[in-house]
Amino acid sequence: MQVFNFCAGPAMLPVEVMQKAQAEMLDWQHQGVSVMEVSHRSAEFIELAHNAETNLRQLLNVPDDYHVLFMHGGGRGQFAAIAMNLLGESGKALYLNSGQWSKAAAVEARRFAQVDELSIVESMEGKQQVVLPELKSDMGDYRYLHYCPNETVDGIEIHEPINSPWPVIADMSSCILSRPIDVSQFGLIYAGAQKNIGPSGLSLVIVKKSLLELPALPMPSIMDYRITAANESMFNTPPTYALYLAANVFQWLQQQGGIEAMGLKNQRKADELYAYIEQSHFYRSGVAATNRSRMNVTFQLADESLNGEFLAQAKARGLLALKGHRAVGGMRASIYNAMPHQGVVALIAFMDEFARNN
Amino acid sequence: MQVFNFCAGPAMLPVEVMQKAQAEMLDWQHQGVSVMEVSHRSAEFIELAHNAETNLRQLLNVPDDYHVLFMHGGGRGQFAAIAMNLLGESGKALYLNSGQWSKAAAVEARRFAQVDELSIVESMEGKQQVVLPELKSDMGDYRYLHYCPNETVDGIEIHEPINSPWPVIADMSSCILSRPIDVSQFGLIYAGAQKNIGPSGLSLVIVKKSLLELPALPMPSIMDYRITAANESMFNTPPTYALYLAANVFQWLQQQGGIEAMGLKNQRKADELYAYIEQSHFYRSGVAATNRSRMNVTFQLADESLNGEFLAQAKARGLLALKGHRAVGGMRASIYNAMPHQGVVALIAFMDEFARNN
């Protein structure tokens, strides 16, 4: 049975990448050992890490005045690292709250500094919608503005750029590499790896060098952007196997035609799924059309007492991990880069059959 | 050609564990997906994590008043976490300095608190030897004493227990699970995974619950022992694939007869290698017999101009990564749990042949 895995994260990886990893598991580059068994300071591994950075820079067209850092600890680690690295003794920051993850980022930053929060989601006719306020420099002396362009749990995406007088920091954990972005519009972009990059335990940070000129709070060295940059992400042993898989995902993306081609493919997958939901009376989306996530499609059954049956039948058909996050309930189909179009076709076919039978 | 990988870390893993990982790479537990593609909150993964902890507790006979934590960031992350978790606003600690890693731990802790350092290695007749001072409570009001029972870079091991009036914290990165220990003698034991546990990016912490009663410094949540314990190491997404491999390593250790059997096997490997070096005039050990590491056997060629040739010929024979750490030079054979006895036999045979030919 063909299986399609809609898990929000750790998420499915491209099958070609997984097959390559399997083939090389015991013998990487004809060395007779696994890539996870070699020194991160070996010439072979340093070349892998170097290629990973080069390919990522190419994919996202990262300007030269930005560092690309591979770090430990996932997105939550970065919630803390950002505040410790950029706020210093007395810095303040503004956090836009659009759902579960942006809220969690603000909570973590508040451990270290003063954080103002601005809620930007409103409910209109039962649907959640993002309403961006006008941001003016006299609102506060902020070192940065933090937001989450794609809320994995809520299925809310902010499609338009943020017009901000302060450097913009974006948690792109669940939308990185899914569509073209203009890196130069951001002060810092970060992402936990486990959606569109690789396995969990790795995080990616793209940071404008000029943001690191101010002195930082005392912090763990492995979270210090300055130390990480000076040591090319090898101050301590990096999560080498995760980095190897990420490097292969970057190569796979290039083989797919890069981020522009990926963006079109992702748009088509999301459009077809939302179009089906929209015309259905059996399913509904709780997010306004302007803010629907292309990566995490949340939806509800009109009759929620059928949720258990829906999930059980889906699983029996090889459609896995469709249950919504425990904080919001309902259903969620995460359709990251690695999800093929036919996965969405299979999901729609099942949803339609389930609706007709019930 | 049979390959033996003497890398100090990331180090070789048991071949049985790697073969299992390869076989299951695309299909874990008949789910049609990899273990790295499933949610860390799925029943299957929670069971895996639970079994990992249970098996580790059994292997090391961990008392109930200790937490077992699986964390991000490796040993260096713990250098910071220990100080932030245990020293609070004004705590002091004593660090015993026996080589590269214990020194680095003290440097990192000093970012957050006052740290006193005591050098315990002396050179006697050209060999490094550990001389433990008598530790008395009037030496200082220390929250803990930190030491590194096995110095990976220097090849120095401290075999006897530390008699300390303060809770003892041990960096066991390169000796954990290599021989029986009495956990109850320690306040905290920690280890980066990439030597005797699994791939890099994971760390293990075993901490006495009573040490966590004092208030801690503000710190990243993912480094907070209290938060990690309260969330059973799943406050954020753990490095799931690393944890899966660790779980399989723990099972493998049980199949090998547990830590006692492993300790005997390791002792034999080290004894044979040191005995060969001892009787040789071509090679020498720079560490006194009382403090030679059972895991990281450092040695020098009497004629160091032959180093390059030695490494090249070893590599051609499938004996990999014997170069000593750049900080100390010479050679190093890391013979962790996963190194079979025949690897040591092959190394000695090669060393002997090389000596005779030169």
Side-chain angles (χ1 to χ4, degrees):
Chain A
M1 182 174 63
Q2 164 108 48
V3 162
F4 295 108
N5 176 10
F6 295 93
C7 188
M12 71 174 291
L13 292 170
V15 67
E16 296 88 345
V17 169
M18 295 302 288
Q19 285 167 342
K20 182 166 185 279
Q22 183 176 42
E24 297 178 344
M25 182 56 111
L26 297 173
D27 187 11
W28 180 60
Q29 293 190 348
H30 311 294
Q31 295 187 65
V33 297
S34 173
V35 61
M36 76 176 82
E37 297 170 316
V38 304
S39 171
H40 56 296
R41 311 231 181 256
S42 67
E44 294 84 358
F45 194 83
I46 287 173
E47 193 192 339
L48 180 154
H50 178 80
N51 289 345
E53 179 177 336
T54 304
N55 291 344
L56 182 80
R57 282 185 177 274
Q58 210 167 63
L59 284 165
L60 288 177
N61 201 11
V62 179
D64 286 343
D65 58 335
Y66 284 73
H67 291 298
V68 169
L69 311 176
F70 295 101
M71 303 184 76
H72 291 263
R76 280 218 193 245
Q78 293 308 319
F79 290 175
I82 288 161
M84 292 187 297
N85 275 282
L86 305 182
L87 290 178
E89 279 299 332
S90 56
K92 282 198 306 181
L94 179 62
Y95 278 66
L96 301 186
N97 177 345
S98 58
Q100 297 286 323
W101 284 107
S102 52
K103 203 183 299 181
V107 168
E108 182 74 15
R110 208 164 272 136
R111 291 189 144 216
F112 310 99
Q114 195 190 325
V115 163
D116 289 345
E117 224 172 317
L118 212 54
S119 191
I120 58 169
V121 172
E122 297 179 8
S123 184
M124 302 204 186
E125 297 170 9
K127 290 192 189 289
Q128 290 190 290
Q129 186 170 335
V130 172
V131 180
L132 284 174
E134 199 184 341
L135 299 166
K136 292 187 221 155
S137 57
D138 64 5
M139 287 168 68
D141 184 20
Y142 299 121
R143 290 268 175 88
Y144 63 78
L145 171 138
H146 178 282
Y147 87 119
C148 181
N150 187 75
E151 289 277 2
T152 323
V153 169
D154 311 85
I156 292 174
E157 187 167 350
I158 300 170
H159 299 278
E160 67 269 47
I162 301 285
N163 209 337
S164 162
W166 316 284
V168 175
I169 295 191
D171 174 0
M172 293 203 182
S173 292
S174 52
C175 60
I176 189 100
L177 297 165
S178 72
R179 60 184 164 96
I181 52 170
D182 179 356
V183 173
S184 72
Q185 298 300 303
F186 297 88
L188 187 152
I189 291 165
Y190 69 102
Q194 67 269 25
K195 285 99 163 56
N196 261 334
I197 296 176
S200 59
L202 177 73
S203 58
L204 168 69
V205 175
I206 303 171
V207 57
K208 194 165 188 167
K209 293 175 182 175
S210 60
L211 284 193
L212 304 183
E213 283 161 12
L214 286 166
L217 285 177
M219 75 184 112
S221 297
I222 69 161
M223 289 193 163
D224 190 318
Y225 295 151
R226 296 154 189 83
I227 291 176
T228 307
N231 291 278
E232 297 183 315
S233 302
M234 294 222 195
F235 175 67
N236 74 332
T237 315
T240 54
Y241 197 65
L243 191 49
Y244 156 81
L245 285 165
N248 283 322
V249 167
F250 301 154
Q251 272 187 356
W252 177 83
L253 284 169
Q254 289 175 318
Q255 288 156 5
Q256 304 298 305
I259 301 304
E260 203 145 339
M262 198 48 67
L264 293 173
K265 200 181 130 194
N266 287 329
Q267 189 69 52
R268 182 181 171 209
K269 289 186 292 181
D271 283 349
E272 288 182 15
L273 187 47
Y274 283 118
Y276 172 74
I277 292 168
E278 197 64 21
Q279 58 78 47
S280 154
H281 299 289
F282 196 83
Y283 306 99
R284 65 179 294 278
S285 163
V287 181
T290 46
N291 292 107
R292 288 177 183 159
S293 166
R294 283 171 282 206
M295 293 285 108
N296 310 98
V297 179
T298 50
F299 61 93
Q300 292 83 42
L301 275 63
D303 177 0
E304 296 226 285
S305 72
L306 292 170
N307 281 359
E309 191 54 31
F310 178 88
L311 290 167
Q313 288 189 26
K315 190 174 177 183
R317 289 273 284 269
L319 305 170
L320 307 184
L322 287 163
K323 191 174 180 177
H325 189 276
R326 61 197 186 286
V328 299
M331 303 296 154
R332 173 175 52 175
S334 294
I335 49 175
Y336 300 118
N337 285 342
M339 175 61 67
H341 177 251
Q342 66 182 123
V344 172
V345 171
L347 174 60
I348 292 172
F350 164 72
M351 287 171 70
D352 198 45
E353 189 185 310
F354 187 85
R356 277 185 283 110
N357 291 345
N358 291 277
Chain B
M1 182 175 63
Q2 165 108 45
V3 162
F4 295 108
N5 176 12
F6 295 93
C7 188
M12 72 173 292
L13 293 170
V15 67
E16 297 89 344
V17 170
M18 295 302 288
Q19 285 166 341
K20 183 167 184 278
Q22 183 176 42
E24 297 178 345
M25 182 55 113
L26 298 172
D27 187 10
W28 180 61
Q29 294 191 346
H30 311 295
Q31 295 187 65
V33 298
S34 173
V35 62
M36 77 176 82
E37 298 171 316
V38 303
S39 171
H40 56 295
R41 312 234 180 253
S42 66
E44 293 84 358
F45 193 83
I46 287 174
E47 193 191 340
L48 180 154
H50 178 79
N51 289 346
E53 179 177 336
T54 304
N55 291 345
L56 182 80
R57 282 185 177 274
Q58 211 165 61
L59 284 165
L60 288 177
N61 201 11
V62 179
D64 287 343
D65 58 335
Y66 285 72
H67 291 298
V68 169
L69 311 176
F70 295 103
M71 303 184 73
H72 292 262
R76 280 219 193 244
Q78 293 308 319
F79 291 174
I82 288 161
M84 291 188 297
N85 274 281
L86 303 183
L87 289 177
E89 279 299 331
S90 56
K92 282 200 306 181
L94 179 63
Y95 277 65
L96 301 186
N97 177 344
S98 57
Q100 297 286 323
W101 284 108
S102 52
K103 203 182 300 182
V107 169
E108 182 74 16
R110 208 165 270 136
R111 293 190 143 215
F112 310 99
Q114 195 190 324
V115 163
D116 288 347
E117 227 173 315
L118 212 55
S119 192
I120 59 169
V121 172
E122 297 179 8
S123 184
M124 302 206 186
E125 297 168 11
K127 291 192 189 289
Q128 291 189 289
Q129 185 171 335
V130 172
V131 180
L132 285 173
E134 198 183 341
L135 300 165
K136 293 187 220 154
S137 57
D138 64 5
M139 287 169 68
D141 184 20
Y142 300 121
R143 290 269 174 88
Y144 62 79
L145 171 139
H146 178 281
Y147 87 120
C148 180
N150 187 75
E151 289 278 2
T152 323
V153 169
D154 310 84
I156 292 174
E157 187 167 352
I158 300 170
H159 298 278
E160 66 269 46
I162 302 285
N163 209 337
S164 161
W166 317 284
V168 175
I169 295 191
D171 175 359
M172 293 203 180
S173 292
S174 53
C175 61
I176 189 100
L177 297 165
S178 72
R179 58 182 165 97
I181 51 170
D182 179 356
V183 174
S184 73
Q185 298 300 303
F186 298 88
L188 186 152
I189 291 166
Y190 68 102
Q194 66 269 26
K195 285 99 163 52
N196 262 333
I197 296 176
S200 60
L202 177 72
S203 57
L204 168 69
V205 176
I206 303 171
V207 56
K208 193 165 188 169
K209 292 175 182 174
S210 60
L211 284 192
L212 304 183
E213 282 160 12
L214 287 166
L217 285 176
M219 76 183 112
S221 296
I222 68 161
M223 290 194 162
D224 190 318
Y225 295 150
R226 296 152 188 84
I227 291 175
T228 307
N231 291 278
E232 297 183 315
S233 303
M234 294 221 194
F235 175 67
N236 74 331
T237 315
T240 55
Y241 197 64
L243 191 49
Y244 155 81
L245 285 164
N248 283 322
V249 168
F250 300 154
Q251 272 188 357
W252 176 84
L253 284 169
Q254 289 176 318
Q255 288 156 7
Q256 304 298 305
I259 301 305
E260 202 144 340
M262 198 48 67
L264 294 173
K265 199 180 132 197
N266 287 329
Q267 189 68 53
R268 182 181 171 209
K269 289 186 293 182
D271 284 350
E272 289 182 15
L273 187 46
Y274 283 117
Y276 172 73
I277 292 168
E278 198 64 20
Q279 59 77 48
S280 155
H281 299 288
F282 196 84
Y283 306 100
R284 65 178 293 277
S285 163
V287 181
T290 46
N291 292 108
R292 287 177 184 160
S293 167
R294 283 171 283 206
M295 294 285 106
N296 310 99
V297 179
T298 51
F299 60 93
Q300 292 84 40
L301 275 61
D303 177 0
E304 296 227 282
S305 72
L306 292 170
N307 281 358
E309 191 55 30
F310 179 89
L311 289 167
Q313 288 188 26
K315 190 174 177 183
R317 290 273 284 268
L319 305 171
L320 307 184
L322 286 163
K323 190 173 181 179
H325 190 275
R326 62 197 186 288
V328 297
M331 302 296 155
R332 174 176 51 176
S334 294
I335 49 175
Y336 301 117
N337 285 343
M339 175 61 67
H341 176 251
Q342 66 182 122
V344 173
V345 172
L347 174 60
I348 292 172
F350 164 72
M351 286 171 69
D352 198 45
E353 189 184 310
F354 187 84
R356 278 185 284 110
N357 291 344
N358 290 278

